Amino acid sequence: MPERLWSVYNETKRQTEGLIPAIAANSVNPDTIFANNEMSLRDTEIYGFDYDYTLAFYSRNLHTLIFNIARDILITNHRYPEGLLNYEYIPNFAVRGLHYDVQKALLMKIDAFHYIQLGTVYRGLHPVPDEEVIAMYDGCHVPLENMSDFYGKSSHGHTMKQFMDIFSLPEMSLLSCVNDFFMRHNIDYEPVHLYKDVKEAIRDVHVKGIMYRAVEADIEKYICYGEQSHAVLKKLSEHGKKMFLITNSPFDFVDRGMNYIVGKDWQDLFDVVIVQADKPGFFNDRRKPFRRVTDKGALLWDRIHKLEKGKIYKQGNLYEFLRLTGWTGSKVLYFGDHIYSDLADLTLKHGWRTGAIIPELRKEIKIMNTEQYVHMMAWLQALTGLIEQMQVHRDPASQAVVEEWIRERETKDIFNPQFGSLFRTYHNPTYFSRRLSRFADIYMASISCLLNYDFQHTFFPRRTPLQHESPFWPEHSPAGISVTSQLNMAF
């Protein structure tokens, strides 16, 4: 039997190799807009935008800046060791969507079913052995009550924090570096205190305006892709679409960036501009009224009876926004990069259409289009089918063969050496991917992807078969039937 199993294995590999050219020919365009939910631009009259990482895209220099400033704050304000100055930002260490166990000081990747992906658990800058992870968590599953709260935060008894926005990449890197320093020097420390101190230092970089002033002073160093955002806004304006901006950033910072991206007349493109909105509170807290902000940054005291074009407003809340504008329901499409703070409440409570901006998509799709990835995934699919069908042979020799195949199935990830793809664990969608599919009607690498579509276009989600449905649809199998199914019938 083992000899026959290896014979089927080799024949499966041979036939899979024959399918590679047909699969590789169906490469994915990185500038595509992908749909989780059917949505037509024909029905969309009003377009809303976040600012950071939606209209303004930043270079890697910004992450280095945030890391360095927060590290220095830890040393000067929190009396952390000066040895931390030897650590620098590690650009390709972490990926978005990771969870951090605040009490255990562990950074990890969790799938859509709350299972930890073994091999992606890090303490400091080093991986934790699988057997140690299993012992700490009594397996690989993280109970719901321990997961982060609705907005990804570790609060009200939740021990996990999920890092969902792109600004969190330097925070994860700093957490890992400080943990690494303390462990290397055998310093006894409380992980909860460390997490809170790093969190406070990162917050100070934003709240105290340190980052804003640095970016404004050297805008060309930090902002990129400006001309693409300008082209999108211009196209929308030419087609008579209403547009608004809701951002947590302050006006001076947004004004400096938009002057660089669009020009001094950028406010003419928007019907409403709201700064320092305090999302996600903006979508839930009815108590905060809008307040006018002058071009000089002064706050006015008069009551707001309507939101006027050419004027700037601060704070406020969505309920008042809906009352003053009448922009309700599916005729509104709002774009943002943070799945929780920007999109979740809008789709769950207010029926707006939502578009997620996922810059990491472009890099991952380019990798997916490589011959190495296509070959690896085609064989992984064939091998999985082979294991599923041949596991029925229960004699010890056959089981040893199948176990060897299972070990081969745990492939080395080619996206990120530490944590892999943003969207998948080894075989399941990530927790990030699950939330993306729930809270975003469409998603794309950048707002510029809109330039590839007219305003009559309907986005359709791919009809992927459910587990109990036939997988033999042409778009899911180039040959119309799986290699392993053919071989199994022959076997």
Side-chain angles (χ1 to χ4, degrees):
M1 185 58 70
E3 288 77 10
R4 295 180 69 186
L5 289 175
W6 281 114
S7 176
V8 175
Y9 173 95
N10 291 327
E11 179 61 17
T12 303
K13 179 166 280 192
R14 186 189 67 77
Q15 291 204 23
T16 303
E17 292 286 348
L19 294 175
I20 297 298
I23 299 172
N26 296 320
S27 61
V28 178
N29 183 351
D31 292 318
T32 300
I33 293 178
F34 304 94
N36 291 319
N37 189 23
E38 185 174 326
M39 193 198 81
S40 177
L41 294 181
R42 186 185 296 108
D43 304 324
T44 307
E45 302 171 9
I46 303 123
Y47 289 76
F49 302 91
D50 181 31
Y51 174 70
D52 297 302
Y53 287 107
T54 300
L55 293 177
F57 285 84
Y58 299 101
S59 69
R60 189 173 288 174
N61 294 322
L62 183 61
H63 292 166
T64 301
L65 174 74
I66 294 171
F67 178 94
N68 289 343
I69 296 173
R71 178 200 60 200
D72 295 347
I73 289 174
L74 284 178
I75 295 170
T76 56
N77 295 3
H78 297 272
R79 298 188 298 174
Y80 275 60
E82 291 191 0
L84 289 174
L85 291 171
N86 295 322
Y87 287 86
E88 297 182 351
Y89 176 61
I90 309 171
N92 297 314
F93 176 70
V95 298
R96 198 156 46 128
L98 299 179
H99 281 79
Y100 183 77
D101 190 320
V102 175
Q103 295 179 344
K104 295 182 174 67
L106 298 176
L107 188 65
M108 67 189 73
K109 187 174 175 182
I110 295 178
D111 73 12
F113 302 97
H114 296 192
Y115 281 89
I116 299 167
Q117 179 183 344
L118 294 176
T120 68
V121 180
Y122 276 70
R123 182 184 288 114
L125 299 174
H126 301 281
V128 179
D130 293 350
E131 56 273 16
E132 187 177 338
V133 174
I134 293 170
M136 281 191 290
Y137 290 95
D138 195 23
C140 296
H141 185 261
V142 180
L144 178 62
E145 60 267 22
N146 292 345
M147 293 291 287
S148 53
D149 69 9
F150 182 79
Y151 296 106
K153 298 178 181 179
S154 59
S155 58
H156 307 297
H158 301 281
T159 60
M160 292 282 188
K161 152 77 176 178
Q162 189 180 19
F163 293 102
M164 290 297 282
D165 69 336
I166 305 172
F167 279 130
S168 65
L169 292 173
E171 183 175 358
M172 286 186 275
S173 184
L174 184 58
L175 270 171
S176 300
C177 288
V178 178
N179 275 306
D180 182 75
F181 179 87
F182 285 162
M183 289 187 296
R184 280 180 178 272
H185 293 84
N186 295 315
I187 299 173
D188 187 28
Y189 69 101
E190 171 53 59
V192 174
H193 297 331
L194 185 152
Y195 166 74
K196 289 182 177 179
D197 289 345
V198 170
K199 178 183 175 183
E200 183 176 327
I202 292 287
R203 185 195 65 199
D204 286 349
V205 174
H206 296 271
V207 173
K208 294 186 176 180
I210 306 170
M211 182 196 79
Y212 300 133
R213 290 190 293 272
V215 173
E216 289 176 45
D218 196 353
I219 200 105
E220 293 184 1
K221 179 179 179 180
Y222 295 107
I223 290 186
C224 48
Y225 305 138
E227 67 281 357
Q228 297 175 350
S229 296
H230 186 192
V232 171
L233 296 174
K234 185 178 179 181
K235 180 179 178 181
L236 290 167
S237 178
E238 289 172 349
H239 283 79
K241 303 297 183 180
K242 298 283 188 181
M243 287 184 282
F244 64 92
L245 178 68
I246 302 178
T247 174
N248 285 351
S249 294
F251 173 70
D252 288 346
F253 180 71
V254 175
D255 185 51
R256 181 77 175 91
M258 290 300 288
N259 278 332
Y260 176 74
I261 295 169
V262 176
K264 293 185 177 180
D265 59 347
W266 69 269
Q267 292 183 46
D268 295 342
L269 293 171
F270 293 93
D271 295 273
V272 179
V273 175
I274 300 167
V275 298
Q276 291 177 277
D278 192 28
K279 296 177 293 185
F282 178 85
F283 300 126
N284 298 290
D285 190 346
R286 299 171 181 261
R287 296 170 297 176
K288 292 183 179 179
F290 285 109
R291 193 165 188 181
R292 271 280 315 281
V293 182
T294 68
D295 291 342
K296 302 296 184 181
L299 295 173
L300 303 182
W301 47 262
D302 50 319
R303 184 189 296 271
I304 304 300
H305 295 284
K306 61 180 179 177
L307 299 175
E308 300 179 63
K309 187 170 184 174
K311 295 182 178 179
I312 307 299
Y313 301 91
K314 177 183 177 181
Q315 291 183 343
N317 65 83
L318 185 66
Y319 297 93
E320 189 70 0
F321 179 90
L322 298 176
R323 186 183 70 81
L324 293 173
T325 63
W327 294 345
T328 59
S330 59
K331 64 184 179 183
V332 185
L333 171 58
Y334 185 79
F335 294 95
D337 68 291
H338 197 303
I339 296 172
Y340 297 153
S341 295
D342 287 327
L343 309 181
D345 289 310
L346 293 177
T347 190
L348 291 177
K349 298 179 181 179
H350 303 287
W352 281 10
R353 294 297 199 163
T354 52
I357 305 301
I358 314 291
E360 299 93 335
L361 258 179
R362 186 163 275 115
K363 178 181 177 181
E364 292 215 8
I365 289 174
K366 287 180 178 178
I367 292 174
M368 288 164 52
N369 287 338
T370 63
E371 184 178 346
Q372 178 190 6
Y373 179 86
V374 171
H375 190 282
M376 184 178 74
M377 285 298 106
W379 175 235
L380 178 65
Q381 287 289 90
L383 182 61
T384 301
L386 196 62
I387 293 168
E388 184 177 16
Q389 295 175 33
M390 298 307 171
Q391 64 181 323
V392 296
H393 303 291
R394 300 299 183 188
D395 59 284
S398 296
Q399 284 295 297
V401 173
V402 173
E403 286 296 325
E404 187 172 340
W405 295 350
I406 291 173
R407 287 191 294 272
E408 181 182 352
R409 186 169 172 258
E410 301 298 334
T411 55
K412 180 67 177 175
D413 204 289
I414 63 175
F415 291 100
N416 174 286
Q418 291 77 233
F419 300 99
S421 168
L422 176 65
F423 304 96
R424 280 196 178 274
T425 56
Y426 285 129
H427 309 293
N428 287 334
T430 58
Y431 194 83
F432 176 93
S433 187
R434 175 188 178 187
R435 309 300 264 182
L436 173 66
S437 65
R438 178 63 185 90
F439 299 141
D441 291 293
I442 56 176
Y443 64 99
M444 64 212 76
S446 74
I447 204 72
S448 65
C449 296
L450 275 173
L451 296 172
N452 302 319
Y453 302 86
D454 62 35
F455 293 115
Q456 300 299 310
H457 191 88
T458 299
F459 298 101
F460 295 96
R462 185 178 300 158
R463 187 180 174 88
T464 53
L466 301 174
Q467 295 301 310
H468 65 278
E469 294 177 327
S470 170
F472 303 141
W473 301 345
E475 67 175 287
H476 297 288
S477 177
I481 187 169
S482 68
V483 172
T484 50
S485 294
Q486 297 177 45
L487 291 169
N488 191 51
M489 288 185 287
F491 189 79

